Amino acid sequence: MVDELAVHAAYGVAAPPAPKPPQPTPPPPSPLPQASAGRPTGEGVPPGRPTSVGQGDRLRFVGAATRRIARGIDLDEIVMGLCRASVPTFSDAILVHLRDPLPVGDERPASPVVLRLQRTDRIPEEWNTGGGFRPGAQEPEPTELSELSALTSERCEVRPGGPLAEVLRGVRPVFADRPAARAALPELLGDDSELIIPDGQRAILAPLRGRRRVIGTAVFLRRPERPAFEPDDLLAAAQLATHSALGIDKAVLYGREAFIADELQRTMLPETLPRPPGVLLASRYLPAAETARVGGDWYDAIPLPGSRVALVVGDVMGHSMSSAAIMGQLRTTAQTLAGLDLPPQEVLHLLDEQAQRLGTDRMATCLYAVYDPVSHRITIANAGHPPPVLLHPSGPAEVLRLPPGAPIGVGNVDFEAVELEAPPGATLLLYTDGLVESRLRDVWSGIEQLREKLAATARLTGPDHAPPLETLCDEALELLGPGDRDDDVALLAARFEGIAPGDVASWFLEPEDAAPGRARRLARQALARWGLEQLTDSVELLVSEVVTNAVRYASRPVTLRLLRTDVLRCEVGDDAPQLPRLRQARATDEGGRGLYLVNRLARRWGATRLSTGKVVWFETELP
């Protein structure tokens, strides 16, 4: 603190105001003559103001200023650090211009070079006892520093070969009364630059040069009643400009890396959760820290044939870019395996093989569950992951007992699946260990606290009303106190609603020519039972086309199932693995128009390959 006060005094500026006994108000200072280019440095300075600065004081100021600039992380903090370090200790005002857009790393900068005013700073009101600085001897009224932004051009284009380009090419700070700077300042500040720049050596134009190129300028200004800049002040300005430019370079690179990290995380995790029939979903993701926005945690919800849904949560060791890349590969592999409709334990086994192919040190935990809304059952397999918590409709919360299994990547491990009842109204919470484990508690204590938290939340809403999923996720995250998050947190909540038996109709059809006609009759009867006669014509046509295509290639009985939820869904399964493709039939073709009709009449449609064949499905809106 003593050094900073000495530096403030050495540069002719009072220290920041501090409480002190009231003193008599001194008489107002007499008017001071304006400084001019021909007046020696320090002429016209009020008594008691130093006219020069010692080398030691200047070095202490530069050291304190550069430390303040170095504390900034992002662009705004670094520019603010430059301004606050310079005003009022070194100058009465400062204008900072930066390239727009700022070049990042080795990328080629935009052409032509455009500078945009980034920030202006002035002496605070309590320091502005002189009423501002005087822009010129011919001006009777002072120009307030607060009007700098109004008098300065917001944007300027550096003309190739022009005076501003020459000053920027020289890199070194120059006094504004030098011919090169005098010609460059109107280009930088606009036509009113003579109203901003005082006479004499009271303005310094300092280019801001980063690692490879000039990225902006800083203009330091002093009022006429203050001592003019000295030649050694050019060295101080050069130090301020260099440290600021290098800091801005690093901030831009950090911003680009943070942007890439955010984009990577956004692509690694599902942008939106699906809305499969019979289940509601909600999720949360929190990185370990703002400086490590990408981690190895992931969650997923994958619609499966038969109106089922796969719920996945996993955790790759670490929370770095490498962990995120491995996580992305494992998540993509899990999605591909889910599309093959493999059992949960088989999915984990193949994930384990994939992790070993990625490297011997690629370890991860994973929990894979498949929920069937028709049978109201869930099948879960675990690979070293914390067990999920099941919140029953009546209110109690239960930590499911699952075979723990070994983490993915260990190799030569058998995984075991468990099938459990999933009653309508129950909620399953899947999470990563970052939610329940920290330096302050072990994982099992955290799991017990999570179970109690969910049970307490359910008691607030009562046994007849399940707590909203979003509220339940927020309550679960309240386990993370301040400074209590050491790892990424991924959270996936699933509310099981199921599909009532009365809303399901299914049949087996022999692969024969009469199958499409029988399918039409069965569909018509089901629609009449549900009071959906308005859909009879379109659904009969769609069912006939899909069943006809299945019978053509099937060698075993074809399955037909209708589901009534918020939409009417039809699923036709057969044992032929070839997926149908939509194509435009030619005028001479006898077939090939069935899927075209399905595509035009259905709300959505698709086909999924199974281990035993495929399922073709379509959905139509309910009236």
Side-chain angles (χ1 to χ4, degrees), residues 28 358 561:
L358 294 177
R561 184 163 74 168

Side-chain angles (χ1 to χ4, degrees), residues 434-435 437-441 479-487:
L435 179 66
E437 185 180 20
S438 70
R439 293 187 297 266
L440 305 179
R441 60 172 181 261
L479 290 176
L480 302 170
D484 194 23
R485 192 167 83 240
D486 305 322
D487 198 0

Side-chain angles (χ1 to χ4, degrees), residues 200-245:
Q201 293 182 352
R202 287 182 168 81
I204 294 177
L205 173 58
L208 302 178
R209 179 175 176 80
R211 294 185 302 164
R212 290 177 175 83
R213 58 184 68 90
V214 173
I215 60 174
T217 64
V219 180
F220 303 94
L221 304 171
R222 283 187 181 177
R223 299 185 305 190
E225 62 268 22
R226 187 175 179 183
F229 288 113
E230 299 178 3
D232 285 345
D233 289 325
L234 292 177
L235 300 176
Q239 289 291 322
L240 296 178
T242 299
H243 282 79
S244 300

Side-chain angles (χ1 to χ4, degrees), residues 247-265:
I248 291 171
D249 250 359
K250 292 179 181 179
V252 174
L253 284 172
Y254 172 78
R256 172 62 62 87
E257 290 180 357
F259 173 77
I260 294 174
D262 288 341
E263 288 297 310
L264 178 61
Q265 188 68 63

Side-chain angles (χ1 to χ4, degrees), residues 358-414:
L358 294 177
T360 56
D361 58 342
R362 307 309 188 189
M363 305 283 289
T365 63
C366 182
L367 192 144
Y368 188 94
V370 176
Y371 170 66
D372 188 343
V374 177
S375 63
H376 305 287
R377 307 284 292 180
I378 185 169
T379 306
I380 309 176
N382 189 13
H385 202 79
V389 178
L390 182 65
L391 182 62
H392 291 273
S394 57
E398 173 190 4
V399 180
L400 298 183
R401 295 184 178 181
L402 305 175
I408 290 172
V410 173
N412 301 321
V413 176
D414 291 331

Side-chain angles (χ1 to χ4, degrees), residues 46-123:
R49 294 262 189 171
T51 59
S52 62
V53 180
Q55 188 68 19
D57 294 330
R58 186 177 283 105
L59 291 176
R60 282 194 293 271
F61 160 71
V62 171
T66 52
R67 285 193 298 271
R68 184 167 191 169
I69 294 170
R71 284 198 295 266
I73 295 178
D74 59 22
L75 177 65
D76 293 334
E77 289 181 350
I78 293 172
V79 174
M80 180 182 295
L82 170 63
C83 295
R84 296 291 170 83
S86 304
V87 179
T89 307
F90 183 69
S91 62
D92 295 328
I94 184 174
L95 300 96
V96 180
H97 290 74
L98 296 180
R99 293 185 69 157
D100 185 25
L102 276 168
V104 181
D106 296 328
E107 72 178 18
R108 187 173 182 178
S111 182
V113 177
V114 175
L115 297 179
R116 187 177 297 277
L117 183 63
Q118 182 75 16
R119 183 182 175 91
T120 63
D121 236 348
R122 62 180 180 86
I123 291 181

